[in-house]
Amino acid sequence: MAEGLHDSDIPNPVLRWVDQRLPILSMVQREYGTFPTPRNFNYFWNFGALAMINLVIMIATGVILSMQYAANTGLAFDSVERIMRDVNYGWLLRYAHANGASMFFIVVYMHIWRNLYYGSYKTPRELLFMIGVVIFILMMATAFMGYVLPWGQMSFWGATVITNLFSAIPVVGQHIVTWLWGGFSVDNPTLNRFFSLHYLLPFVITGVVFLHIAALHIVGSNNPLGIEPKGPKDTIPFHPYYTSKDSVGIIVYLLVFAVIVFFMPNYLGHPDNYIPANPLVTPAHIVPEWYFLPFYAILRAVPNKLGGVAMMGGALVILFFLPWLDSSPVRSMRFRPIAKWAFLLFSVNFLVLGWVGGKPAEQPYILIAQICAAYYFAYFLVILPLLAKFERPLPLPESISASVLKHRGGGPLPAGATAKPMEKA
Amino acid sequence: MRRYATTLKAAALAAALALAPAGAWAQGHDEIHLPDTKFSFEGVFGTFDRASAQRGFQVYKEVCSACHAMRHLSYRHLRGIGFNEAQVAALASQFQVQDGPNDNGEMFERPARASDHFRRPFPNDAAARAANNGALPPDLTVMVKAREGGADYLHALLIGYEEPPPGVTVANGMHYNKYFPGHQIAMPPPLNSEGQVTYADGTKATVDQMSQDVSTFLAWAAEPELEQRRSMGVRMIIYLAILGGLVFAVKKKIWARLHQTEPAP
């Protein structure tokens, strides 16, 4: 790049002076203003923006909560109750933060669902997708450690169960667990380090989110048709079209969030977490937060501890290989008559896994979990690779704009009729 | 239209994904059906019945507080159920609390002030166990949030003592309660006779009435922010609904530009 001042076209002289020296305004204009975006996004494409908003809400509420929270086994539970009672709007901050975690997982599960349905993980977006999986795993770690902080019964026993999973590793397992705990049981050192990491990881997530967005802006967005934009008539500038469409989604998201925070703030939690942690009393059922239940079900489906841990880890790691397991060149499930049903079944299967994950580990739930876990892996390892070979996809539309206009009832268009949709925009 | 049908189906799936597993937890393994009590604070617009909560405080003070602490409450918090400043000061001053050390390095007793925490019945858990046949009476501040069924469960528990059914042996020092998980509870029936407390407002102190009142008080103690939270929620939802309408109209108007440049269908 040439040295010297950046060639800025910002009209305001002061902003231009800044932009010539640090072209951050030009960058925003390029990446979020005129950025050419496929014109046919449906509302599923809101969830990326919603996840970003959610991350900001979590960091903002979390930073303020941490000013009042005490990461000490003798004080943690009481300090949370103090936040609820004596800190101005502390109840609002805490309920927004606790339920914000649930909202974050709803949003991210939807974001992943959209990715899988419309084949966004396929070339050239493989790395973009893999970075997304890294964010998802970091989120799970952050949420798990956050749930430990109030130091209630589920905090303590959840931490005990999950950290103990590492003891399944042969030879060094028990040493790893002791190292994670900072002692010989979940105790004050564990709580201290979980608080430290719970504060650190969101900023790591923020960094990885920037990589995710940077990669997105290199390869561009996928769209519901799964075909690449072929020219300017297939795209529209991000602003004002998708800024306005994302805004609609944000309001709906905030409405759902508000209903949960203001009217059912403890619905997604567990009553046992309002009992202070007690290492001598084990709760009747130790259940993780709802967003871990599908993976928890896979863990418990395997009778062998190491096997269960490996399967649960594998359920996440397999996502990194998805771009190569599914080698069909057709992205969108709209044009894949068989894969579409296999995937919808996969979605239902995932919900059933979540349901059995919340049930006690007894029959018939174990059998259901085993069948569902088998389908989870079969979808990735057997069904997608086979369908890529044998499925006959439906014909793809010739372009995004042709498909959009046909949908509106205009019939087939003479070539060039929509040549410059941007002229008046 | 097919496109929207797919979208809707998927959205429904997602909603189920979010809520179904959580709902599934709510069912305990032991089938105990709680009687559904009509409490003043239920529903979106429900508020705490102040008179009932004040009577409930009286029940707590005269009965429960012999064994159960409420360590997250201070006397000043009682303003939240309608006591005024003078009443709170008078209530607090009935209790002796330990303070100190004074200039001689000694702890001393003084009447409680509004800013003091509720006095605890026992100096520590070991003392509480020693006085209760080995059982530890739990703190009651967040009890309503710490049990499935909340206030309904507490009310049921307090009126649920009865003779054990034939064939059931109750362990020594335990009591049969039809609503307690496992049915054997260490706590003896705390509310056992009509008129156990004398209500200043003339309300007849039946066991059921006392139980409802103390459940109302404990519900308030667990969620003192409940009324403020719900009223803020109603305003928030009205605000977001209006804003959502405006934002959607703006989005429609902006996207209409795109449609103008294309041939009419």
Side-chain angles (χ1 to χ4, degrees), chain A residues 287-310:
Chain A
V287 273
E289 287 282 80
W290 68 265
Y291 35 80
F292 294 135
L293 290 177
F295 298 100
Y296 192 58
I298 292 176
L299 169 79
R300 296 194 307 182
V302 186
N304 172 290
K305 187 174 179 184
L306 178 60
V309 173

Side-chain angles (χ1 to χ4, degrees), chain B residues 9-10 31 36 43-44 58 67 95-96 98 102 105 111 116-117 123 126 131 144 160 182-183 191 202-203 216 221 243:
Chain B
K9 259 185 275 172
E31 288 297 318
D36 186 19
V44 173
Q58 187 186 346
C67 303
F95 300 94
Q96 292 287 315
Q98 195 181 50
N102 64 13
D116 282 314
H117 281 95
V144 166
H183 301 301
L191 304 173
T203 306
T216 301
L243 182 65

Side-chain angles (χ1 to χ4, degrees), chain B residues 18-230:
Chain B
L19 299 175
W25 294 354
Q27 306 146 12
H29 54 121
D30 197 2
E31 288 297 318
I32 296 177
H33 293 286
L34 300 175
D36 186 19
T37 316
K38 190 78 205 122
F39 282 112
S40 53
F41 47 86
E42 287 173 354
V44 173
F45 299 103
T47 53
F48 293 111
D49 177 345
R50 297 295 192 275
S52 174
Q54 291 189 11
R55 289 194 301 269
F57 170 66
Q58 187 186 346
V59 175
Y60 168 73
K61 188 178 66 159
E62 295 178 13
V63 182
C64 321
S65 72
C67 303
H68 293 278
M70 296 185 82
R71 64 204 165 102
H72 303 292
L73 282 188
S74 298
Y75 294 107
R76 65 186 164 84
H77 285 135
L78 292 171
R79 300 281 302 274
I81 50 170
F83 288 112
N84 64 34
E85 206 172 331
Q87 285 171 314
V88 168
L91 274 170
S93 65
Q94 300 170 10
F95 300 94
Q96 292 287 315
V97 293
Q98 195 181 50
D99 201 350
N102 64 13
D103 291 347
N104 298 324
E106 285 155 6
M107 306 303 283
F108 59 94
E109 298 268 315
R110 62 161 173 80
R113 292 189 284 259
S115 57
D116 282 314
H117 281 95
F118 273 27
R119 191 186 57 178
R120 299 186 193 192
F122 302 105
N124 53 57
D125 286 358
R129 283 187 193 278
N132 286 285
N133 195 21
L136 177 66
D139 188 278
L140 294 182
T141 329
V142 289
M143 187 52 78
V144 166
K145 289 200 282 192
R147 293 290 182 276
E148 289 298 348
D152 279 337
Y153 168 74
L154 291 194
H155 174 53
L157 184 82
L158 291 172
I159 59 171
Y161 286 91
E162 58 184 26
E163 285 302 310
V168 174
T169 7
V170 176
N172 194 19
M174 303 296 269
H175 308 269
Y176 187 86
N177 188 306
K178 59 180 163 177
Y179 298 116
F180 188 72
H183 301 301
Q184 298 204 28
I185 185 168
M187 174 170 71
L191 304 173
N192 44 36
S193 62
E194 192 167 318
Q196 197 174 349
V197 298
T198 311
Y199 285 140
D201 64 2
T203 306
K204 199 164 169 224
T206 60
V207 168
D208 190 81
Q209 181 69 42
M210 291 186 289
S211 164
Q212 276 205 41
D213 288 341
V214 80
S215 300
T216 301
F217 170 68
L218 293 179
W220 165 80
E223 299 188 287
E225 87 296 343
L226 177 133
E227 293 174 5
Q228 188 195 10
R229 166 156 63 73
R230 286 182 186 160

